[in-house]
Amino acid sequence: MSESPSICPTLLYADAKAAIKQLTEAFGFTERAVYEDEAGAVVHAELIFGNGMVMLGSKGTGSEFDKLMKDGGPVGVFVHVDDVDAHHARAVERGADIMMPPTDQDYGARDYMARDIEGNVWSFGTYTPGAEES
């Protein structure tokens, strides 16, 4: 990743190591950095996908962010992929919980949705936010 993204969704997981495994194996993210404390809890991780990044960590670390997110619910994250069907097949093959199969949308995009191991909804599709329509 040559340039840092301007926006990085940040999520906390009860089992951050399992979340990292699912995001890398089923959804194709790449570990950029994973930092653990002495007890083995993930205090900070950075996973990249294309020119984007998601940061995550373990719940219960006592950090200010952890305290603020204590009662936070699931989040939704959108990830642009060029080949929705191939990406979906990979996720299915690795046991991802598919909420909506690949679907052609009225606005011209194709996407699908999956729920991660702790209930966050990940949408993967061809829509390119901010791109001008041709």
Side-chain angles (χ1 to χ4, degrees):
M1 175 181 255
S2 61
E3 184 178 324
S4 295
S6 296
I7 298 174
C8 299
T10 305
L11 298 92
L12 293 179
Y13 289 91
D15 189 343
K17 289 180 183 177
I20 291 168
K21 181 177 180 177
Q22 182 188 39
L23 292 172
T24 57
E25 292 181 5
F27 298 147
F29 283 77
T30 302
E31 285 184 24
R32 181 170 182 259
V34 177
Y35 303 100
E36 298 179 11
D37 64 14
E38 301 79 30
V42 176
V43 293
H44 180 77
E46 298 173 359
L47 305 181
I48 56 175
F49 192 98
N51 64 353
M53 179 188 303
V54 62
M55 297 187 297
L56 63 93
S58 298
K59 290 180 179 178
T61 63
S63 72
E64 194 61 29
F65 186 72
D66 180 50
K67 292 174 191 173
L68 291 169
M69 293 292 290
K70 180 179 176 256
D71 294 322
V75 300
V77 180
F78 174 80
V79 180
H80 174 85
V81 296
D82 291 326
D83 188 337
V84 171
D85 295 288
H87 194 275
H88 172 261
R90 173 189 178 137
V92 168
E93 181 180 293
R94 289 167 175 84
D97 182 13
I98 305 300
M99 307 305 296
M100 182 187 82
T103 303
D104 292 325
Q105 302 298 336
D106 293 341
Y107 48 88
R110 183 168 177 78
D111 55 21
Y112 79 95
M113 289 186 279
R115 190 179 307 276
D116 72 18
I117 60 172
E118 294 193 18
N120 299 298
V121 176
W122 292 79
S123 300
F124 300 92
T126 58
Y127 177 71
T128 304
E132 295 203 23
E133 299 294 319
S134 49

